Amino acid sequence: MNTTVSHIDISTGVKAKAYYELLKPRLSFLVVFSSGFGYALANQSSINWLNFIVFLIAGFFVSGSSVTINQVIEQKYDAIMKRTRNRPLPSNRISESEAIWFSILTGIVGLVLMFLATNLLATSLAFLSLLLYAFVYTPLKRVGSIAVFVGAIPGALPPLIGWAAASGLLTYEAMIIFGIQFIWQFPHFWAIAWVSDEDYKKAGFKLLPGGGAKDLNTAINIMVYTLFLLPLGLLPTIFGLTGLTSGVVATICGILFLATTFSLMKDTSNQKARRIMFGSFIYLPIVQITYLIDKL
């Protein structure tokens, strides 16, 4: 009797952990962070904390739904790549039908919660983001580097969704914070694609620009897009969205981030590309947090 109960508990725990992994929590929490940033930056009065928290939960579910669909579509490719073979679907901890129903449930719950907590504009943008990521970006990964451009759109939509959720509008300020995150996606994506190139080639993923090689041409592309972050990072200050302090911090962070790309141009190694990848993870949250602090 005790053995049976123990076995059920273990099985339930394994299944629950697998469902949680389907949501790609680290990625989904980053989406939630950017959405919350946009919401707080747009808010002109005291925050309705209940609506704000429900909005963040909704964003987590919508993000989780889109990445679950991505894993359903790519499960046979995930099975042959070292970095993804232990995901819930290729490791057979979750069946395809379970994952499909889970994506539908989380998607519906997320969108309904977002509509109840915010407005139709924010909910529509969240739905657009889900569609673009799951059904456009995902299949394009095996077509060519155009996938990075398409993927950068849903990748940059979270702060725009947050702005729309708080204000019900899409203003030029909203487009500025969208633009910063949109351009940031390119060095971020390409650095990951560089480091994971051997694995990606096994699955037929083509994400690197130009000829798709880990060479000087690709390194220059990464440098150029990172360079664009310097003037973009100043726009919130120039247009009065934030103060001078955040403009200075964004510029310093942009210069340090740019420096990592020059290192890659000199030494086209995975180690240098990995520095850019980590630099991208550091740059965005620091700059966004600084914008918020400066506004307050």
Side-chain angles (χ1 to χ4, degrees):
M1 182 67 176
N2 290 337
T3 304
T4 303
V5 172
S6 176
H7 175 72
I8 292 172
D9 290 342
I10 292 171
S11 298
T12 303
V14 168
K15 185 70 78 172
K17 185 174 184 292
Y19 276 118
Y20 183 66
E21 287 177 26
L22 271 182
L23 295 169
K24 289 189 180 178
R26 282 188 296 181
L27 175 59
S28 293
F29 278 126
L30 284 174
V31 169
V32 167
F33 176 84
S34 290
S35 300
F37 156 73
Y39 189 104
L41 200 64
N43 195 71
Q44 297 298 322
S45 59
S46 59
I47 290 179
N48 182 320
W49 288 102
L50 177 60
N51 283 355
F52 181 59
I53 292 170
V54 172
F55 166 68
L56 295 182
I57 294 171
F60 184 84
F61 279 133
V62 173
S63 174
S65 175
S66 65
V67 295
T68 297
I69 297 169
N70 167 273
Q71 290 171 83
V72 170
I73 295 172
E74 293 184 347
Q75 59 181 303
K76 67 179 180 180
Y77 307 121
D78 283 347
I80 60 178
M81 292 191 294
K82 184 178 180 180
R83 61 185 290 271
T84 56
R85 65 177 59 151
N86 291 320
R87 285 178 176 173
L89 280 164
S91 63
N92 294 316
R93 287 176 290 145
I94 293 285
S95 69
E96 181 176 328
S97 61
E98 287 173 329
I100 290 172
W101 281 109
F102 185 64
S103 69
I104 294 171
L105 177 63
T106 52
I108 291 174
V109 169
L111 291 170
V112 169
L113 285 177
M114 188 168 295
F115 180 72
L116 293 174
T118 61
N119 52 61
L120 181 59
L121 177 59
T123 307
S124 299
L125 288 172
F127 185 50
L128 174 64
S129 178
L130 185 155
L131 293 178
L132 285 175
Y133 184 88
F135 299 109
V136 183
Y137 162 69
T138 296
L140 280 178
K141 287 166 70 176
R142 289 173 50 81
V143 174
S145 59
I146 184 64
V148 176
F149 176 83
V150 174
I153 299 173
L157 277 175
L160 198 66
I161 294 169
W163 188 285
S167 68
L169 301 169
L170 291 183
T171 62
Y172 69 88
E173 296 100 332
M175 298 313 298
I176 288 172
I177 60 174
F178 169 83
I180 293 170
Q181 191 149 322
F182 177 78
I183 293 299
W184 169 86
Q185 299 281 327
F186 290 88
H188 173 71
F189 263 119
W190 285 334
I192 293 173
W194 186 302
V195 172
S196 304
D197 186 58
E198 287 74 19
D199 238 6
Y200 280 172
K201 281 179 177 174
K202 295 176 186 176
F205 293 158
K206 305 169 184 177
L207 297 178
L208 290 174
K214 299 195 297 184
D215 56 13
L216 180 60
N217 178 61
T218 297
I220 290 173
N221 273 280
I222 294 173
M223 181 275 293
V224 169
Y225 278 86
T226 307
L227 183 63
F228 285 143
L229 288 174
L230 287 174
L232 282 171
L234 285 171
L235 289 182
T237 299
I238 293 171
F239 283 91
L241 182 58
T242 60
L244 180 61
T245 302
S246 60
V248 172
V249 172
T251 300
I252 293 172
C253 288
I255 291 171
L256 293 174
F257 190 15
L258 183 64
T260 64
T261 68
F262 288 127
S263 296
L264 183 65
M265 290 168 62
K266 292 179 182 177
D267 175 14
T268 54
S269 65
N270 280 5
Q271 181 184 6
K272 300 301 182 183
R274 194 171 281 109
R275 286 180 62 188
I276 297 174
M277 183 178 72
F278 288 127
S280 70
F281 283 123
I282 295 170
Y283 171 86
L284 193 64
I286 287 180
V287 169
Q288 290 182 338
I289 289 171
T290 304
Y291 285 150
L292 279 180
I293 293 173
D294 206 14
K295 181 197 172 186
L296 295 173

